[in-house]
Amino acid sequence: MALLITDKCINCDMCDPECPNQAISFGQKVYEIDPHRCTECVGHYEQPTCVSVCPIDCIIKDPAHIESEAQLLEKFVRLHG
């Protein structure tokens, strides 16, 4: 499952530089996570770094992009070969 930044985001810019997959970018109002690049840090870290640095806890699992840990690992391999 990819992650999602909610409208509670204050655009503090803490998450963007922490993403090892370059899945986070500034959207129309708040930062957004590209579900095709987000692996929830599987393959990099034990927990998503964006979630750990977010000062207001506005990053949640995206119910529109449900993926198993195996699928996230496959995506990691595809991105970083």
Side-chain angles (χ1 to χ4, degrees):
M1 181 177 295
L3 299 174
L4 172 73
I5 298 174
T6 68
D7 289 340
K8 293 180 184 177
C9 176
I10 58 171
N11 298 321
C12 68
D13 195 40
M14 293 294 291
C15 59
D16 181 23
E18 295 298 322
C19 181
N21 297 316
Q22 299 175 337
I24 301 174
S25 61
F26 194 70
Q28 289 189 15
K29 288 186 171 187
V30 297
Y31 279 90
E32 296 177 347
I33 298 177
D34 179 350
H36 302 293
R37 297 193 65 82
C38 179
T39 64
E40 293 185 38
C41 290
V42 168
H44 293 284
Y45 307 109
E46 288 189 27
Q47 296 188 357
T49 56
C50 61
V51 173
S52 65
V53 299
C54 181
I56 59 167
D57 298 323
C58 70
I59 303 172
I60 62 171
K61 292 191 181 271
D62 185 350
H65 295 96
I66 298 172
E67 297 169 293
S68 68
E69 180 129 359
Q71 290 171 309
L72 292 170
L73 190 54
E74 283 180 31
K75 190 188 310 183
F76 165 78
V77 170
R78 212 171 40 248
L79 291 170
H80 300 283

